[in-house]
Amino acid sequence: MDWLTGVRSFHRVVEFGSFTKAAEEEGISASAISKRIDWLEQQLGLSLFIRTTRQINLTEAGQQFLPKAAAWLAQFDSLLDHGQELNQELSGSLKIASTLAVGSTILMPNIESFLSRYPKLKIHLNVIAPGAHPDLNHDLVITRYYEAFDSSSHKGSRLIDYQMQIFGAPHYLKQHKPIESLDDLRQHKMLLSSYYHKLGGIILESGDVFQFDNYNFVSDQLNAMLTAAVQGLGLVFISPSYVQRELDQGLLVPVLPEVKSETKQLWAYYPKANYTPYKTQLFIKHLKIQLNLTE
């Protein structure tokens, strides 16, 4: 046993709130990680956790030890990143979070190409709810830009600009009167994400607001939304990049193509620190190159 292993295991248990989940993350048994914590507590002469059959909580000593442990691990990781920067070979893990839609359509193709260049690196891609603010549990959070999000704990970098448009299935459009204006559109059912269902409307490029008063399906599952649109359950207001496959196959077509949302931005948020990990820097740079972002 060594100090780095013990402290990192302690931090994992705190992060996941469970010995079992922390052990799964480390790829060891729950008893093994428990032995690591026992070793660390013996070395420190402190009890770090209050353990019950249902939950674990930090003791007062554990709460005081946590920020010191996190700072020490961050210092070690920075040292490791510096070494990787010198030899240009990445290892370890990169924890990324995004919505399902962003993850499946934008991130996955770029994760595949990134890992092909750095095969020793492991990427953890987790899901956040649409509208959720970036957190400090991830190295990167890829989400829309929030003007109201002003965190002293995060930095951000713009990835792409995009606008949302309206799409529908050809057979759906044939069964209904021609849609020639926004007034016509208001007679049709919309398919919404829970974020826009809660928001109630969207600001258009013209500055007008289109209210989502008439809808019949709400889901955060992109595949479910696209299936509903292809089946003709209604119309969907969405970024074209999310429906490119359906457009190419003729399953969906633009509706009122001149109507677009205001310009939105996709950003990469990451914890603010004196030194941004090299793997984080490289992945952001890789995304920008692949997405053809011009600064």
Side-chain angles (χ1 to χ4, degrees):
M1 185 66 64
D2 60 83
W3 279 95
L4 179 61
T5 300
V7 174
R8 196 176 292 282
S9 295
F10 163 75
H11 196 264
R12 290 290 193 197
V13 173
V14 175
E15 178 183 358
F16 290 97
S18 164
F19 279 77
T20 300
K21 292 180 180 178
E24 291 175 354
E25 181 70 14
E26 292 287 299
I28 59 176
S29 66
S31 61
I33 206 163
S34 181
K35 289 178 181 178
R36 291 181 180 182
I37 301 302
D38 289 341
W39 179 89
L40 183 61
E41 289 179 328
Q42 290 174 12
Q43 299 303 309
L44 293 171
L46 300 170
S47 177
L48 299 173
F49 292 103
I50 300 172
R51 314 183 200 188
T52 67
T53 55
R54 292 189 175 183
Q55 62 182 8
I56 60 170
N57 294 294
L58 284 171
T59 62
E60 184 177 351
Q63 292 174 354
Q64 294 175 355
F65 181 66
L66 178 59
K68 297 178 181 178
W72 186 68
L73 290 173
Q75 186 177 23
F76 177 82
D77 289 340
S78 294
L79 181 64
L80 182 62
D81 282 332
H82 180 66
Q84 293 179 3
E85 184 175 356
L86 292 176
N87 65 26
Q88 299 291 303
E89 185 174 25
L90 297 188
S91 61
S93 62
L94 182 63
K95 296 178 66 176
I96 305 172
S98 73
T99 62
L100 282 172
V102 171
S104 60
T105 60
I106 294 175
L107 289 184
M108 280 311 301
N110 294 298
I111 286 175
E112 180 184 11
S113 56
F114 192 70
L115 286 178
S116 67
R117 294 181 60 185
Y118 305 103
K120 292 185 178 181
L121 184 69
K122 298 179 178 65
I123 289 183
H124 299 248
L125 180 59
N126 299 318
V127 176
I128 58 171
H133 282 172
D135 60 65
L136 292 172
N137 296 324
H138 296 90
D139 301 306
L140 271 174
V141 178
I142 312 297
T143 186
R144 64 169 61 89
Y145 172 73
Y146 295 106
E147 188 173 344
F149 178 66
D150 182 17
S151 171
S152 60
S153 302
H154 283 88
K155 293 182 179 180
S157 182
R158 181 175 63 91
L159 294 177
I160 54 173
D161 295 344
Y162 66 95
Q163 291 177 286
M164 299 169 64
Q165 296 176 249
I166 308 160
F167 301 93
H171 66 88
Y172 171 90
L173 297 173
K174 288 181 180 179
Q175 295 170 1
H176 295 80
K177 294 181 179 179
I179 303 174
E180 299 176 348
S181 68
L182 281 176
D183 287 337
D184 294 335
L185 187 64
R186 291 185 174 91
Q187 307 305 315
H188 294 261
K189 301 291 185 182
M190 301 298 296
L191 314 173
L192 304 177
S193 68
S194 59
Y195 174 77
Y196 280 105
H197 173 237
K198 182 178 180 180
L199 204 61
I202 188 169
I203 301 175
L204 302 179
E205 188 176 39
S206 63
D208 296 330
V209 177
F210 181 77
Q211 300 289 344
F212 292 130
D213 297 325
N214 194 9
Y215 62 90
N216 63 348
F217 185 73
V218 179
S219 177
D220 286 331
Q221 297 285 340
L222 177 62
N223 287 338
M225 290 275 287
L226 297 185
T227 298
V230 170
Q231 289 176 340
L233 293 186
L235 304 176
V236 61
F237 214 135
I238 198 168
S239 170
S241 61
Y242 293 167
V243 296
Q244 192 58 56
R245 180 184 59 185
E246 286 73 19
L247 292 173
D248 292 342
Q249 295 175 355
L251 299 175
L252 293 177
V253 295
V255 177
L256 298 179
E258 72 281 3
V259 175
K260 300 178 181 179
S261 74
E262 63 176 349
T263 300
K264 299 176 178 293
Q265 297 178 352
L266 188 70
W267 276 53
Y269 290 97
Y270 50 98
K272 183 182 294 183
N274 293 331
Y275 176 80
T276 302
Y278 185 53
K279 54 181 173 281
T280 300
Q281 298 178 45
L282 276 186
F283 189 76
I284 293 175
K285 181 179 179 180
H286 179 76
L287 275 180
K288 288 186 175 184
I289 291 174
Q290 297 302 313
L291 297 173
N292 296 314
L293 178 70
T294 55
E295 295 288 359

